Amino acid sequence: MYTLMVAVGVLTDEARQRTVPLGQRDPPDRRRRLQRRSAHEHGNHRDPANNLSRPPSRTSTERHVRMSLTVHTLELGRAAADSTFFVRHRVPGTLVSAPVHGYLILGGDAPIVVDTGFRNDDVMARVGLHPELRDENSMEAQLDRYGVSIDEVGMVIQTHLHVDHAGHIDKFPTTTPVVVNRAEMEFAASGLQGLGYAPEDLKHMIDRTHAPDAVRWLDLELTGPVSVAPGVRCEHAGGHTDGSLVVYVDTEHGPAAICGDILYDIEDQVITGLMQNGFLEPQVSNNFSGSLRGETAAIKKVLNNATFVLPGHDIGAKVENGQVIGRVEGLTVPGPVIALPSPGASREVSLNS
């Protein structure tokens, strides 16, 4: 949707003499930037010109152990809305509060953050959501729980760019690439969902497109799944928004699917299938941009491709043969699982209490 305009300069004779022929070496500024990126991705922030800062070579066995990935929940606040916002066919009139989750992938070359929460109370109030944001819900505080700083994050992946998922991208430096499906950016800027996308977040994303290597665009509808790091791949989801994606993480106990808002409430949408008669037929939300069939298919696809399902607004679940068999206990996957029945993360609230 947005076309980047590249200014082409004319070299003077003196400049041509200083120019290194293409293929011999990169321009110094780009070479230094790539060296910094390489050092950053390997968790090493010392001078890349210092040979002692290079990580030692690893055997295949050491690398296999090092690549045992884990996924950790980032508790980035809560938001309340009418119960019908989350699940279709619920009786209206009940205010329900749900968590706002991001996720942190550890065990690879560098930490990876998936989704970044909302930036402040105002952007949530614009779309009729009632937020709850405390100091401990900040991105810095949540990463610190796992011994990670913002500068150590090697990549940020956005399942989509809604107001409650893309609010803190601007806290990450432009040397940290943000991975997003191009169709999601196009849909976000189209205005079809109004302030469901915060203008502050979108303007920052536009700024990032003009910074070298600050965005990694995916075209998942055309390419199919894309590996963005060892054991981490993105796949087009659809359903919730035109460009939504799912992040699949290979853990020791099977793939974990970080699925954004394809699912809001696992109990009502999947376990009981509220107001559904079909066997294992999920219920959709009331907050999607495509078709009922498209969102239903997106839910089924995740349930059939993952061992763990990790939504943006509920406690995760363990799945076998497309059916939920338990709920994740704690904030880490793989980790303990509670057998059904078990509680979800949503709760009824009163704004006057």
Side-chain angles (χ1 to χ4, degrees):
M1 178 169 290
Y2 290 93
T3 302
L4 298 180
M5 300 182 65
V6 180
V8 179
V10 179
L11 295 176
T12 65
D13 290 339
E14 181 181 359
R16 287 193 184 94
Q17 293 173 5
R18 293 197 304 267
T19 302
V20 178
L22 182 64
Q24 291 188 13
R25 71 180 199 177
D26 290 325
D29 60 337
R30 175 171 172 79
R31 187 170 67 257
R32 286 193 295 269
R33 177 161 48 81
L34 292 177
Q35 287 173 332
R36 288 196 300 271
R37 174 67 56 76
S38 177
H40 180 75
E41 289 178 348
H42 287 87
N44 192 323
H45 302 288
R46 290 181 290 178
D47 183 1
N50 182 354
N51 290 333
L52 295 177
S53 69
R54 294 177 183 173
S57 60
R58 299 179 174 90
T59 65
S60 59
T61 301
E62 288 172 333
R63 183 168 179 82
H64 175 74
V65 172
R66 189 173 62 87
M67 281 304 185
S68 181
L69 302 179
T70 55
V71 184
H72 308 268
T73 303
L74 302 176
E75 297 178 303
L76 301 176
R78 297 187 70 90
D82 192 274
S83 63
T84 58
F85 176 89
F86 298 106
V87 182
R88 193 177 180 89
H89 293 305
R90 277 179 172 170
V91 177
T94 301
L95 197 64
V96 172
S97 171
V100 175
H101 287 159
Y103 290 94
L104 176 66
I105 303 170
L106 295 178
D109 289 333
I112 298 173
V113 166
V114 181
D115 287 349
T116 60
F118 57 96
R119 62 173 54 234
N120 54 43
D121 290 355
D122 180 58
V123 296
M124 300 289 275
R126 295 175 200 167
V127 290
L129 297 174
H130 305 277
E132 180 183 322
L133 189 62
R134 301 176 180 176
D135 290 343
E136 61 263 31
N137 300 130
S138 71
M139 179 61 68
E140 294 88 346
Q142 287 296 304
L143 291 177
D144 187 61
R145 294 170 69 177
Y146 303 101
V148 175
S149 69
I150 281 183
D151 288 340
E152 291 173 320
V153 173
M155 180 188 308
V156 176
I157 306 174
Q158 291 296 141
T159 62
H160 61 300
L161 296 172
H162 270 163
V163 59
D164 54 334
H165 288 259
H168 296 301
I169 299 176
D170 55 359
K171 290 188 175 182
F172 294 88
T174 56
T175 52
T176 303
V178 172
V179 180
V180 66
N181 202 25
R182 195 188 310 269
E184 177 64 13
M185 187 64 184
E186 294 173 349
F187 182 73
S190 70
L192 288 172
Q193 285 199 329
L195 292 177
Y197 294 96
E200 296 93 332
D201 301 339
L202 297 185
K203 289 172 183 175
H204 171 73
M205 283 299 297
I206 294 297
D207 289 341
R208 290 189 84 93
T209 66
H210 295 275
D213 301 334
V215 180
R216 180 175 179 180
W217 297 108
L218 302 182
D219 296 289
L220 297 173
E221 307 91 318
L222 304 177
T223 64
V226 171
S227 175
V228 296
V232 182
R233 64 191 180 279
C234 297
E235 185 170 331
H236 180 243
H240 183 63
T241 67
D242 286 5
S244 283
L245 61 81
V246 177
V247 183
Y248 287 96
V249 182
D250 293 334
T251 76
E252 184 180 3
H253 294 169
I258 305 173
C259 61
D261 288 355
I262 292 171
L263 278 168
Y264 276 104
D265 188 297
I266 290 175
E267 176 68 32
D268 281 357
Q269 290 187 259
V270 176
I271 297 174
T272 63
L274 182 67
M275 297 290 288
Q276 293 285 31
N277 289 327
F279 180 66
L280 298 183
E281 186 73 2
Q283 183 55 270
V284 300
S285 72
N286 258 337
N287 182 24
F288 60 94
S289 63
S291 67
L292 290 170
R293 188 179 183 190
E295 187 172 10
T296 300
I299 296 170
K300 290 179 177 179
K301 189 175 182 180
V302 165
L303 293 174
N304 282 285
N305 287 347
T307 302
F308 301 98
V309 175
L310 304 175
H313 302 284
D314 198 4
I315 296 171
K318 186 172 184 180
V319 182
E320 284 185 4
N321 301 315
Q323 188 168 359
V324 173
I325 62 168
R327 303 300 293 272
V328 173
E329 181 180 22
L331 301 175
T332 297
V333 167
V337 174
I338 305 174
L340 298 180
S342 59
S346 296
R347 62 172 185 250
E348 293 185 12
V349 296
S350 172
L351 295 180
N352 298 322
S353 60

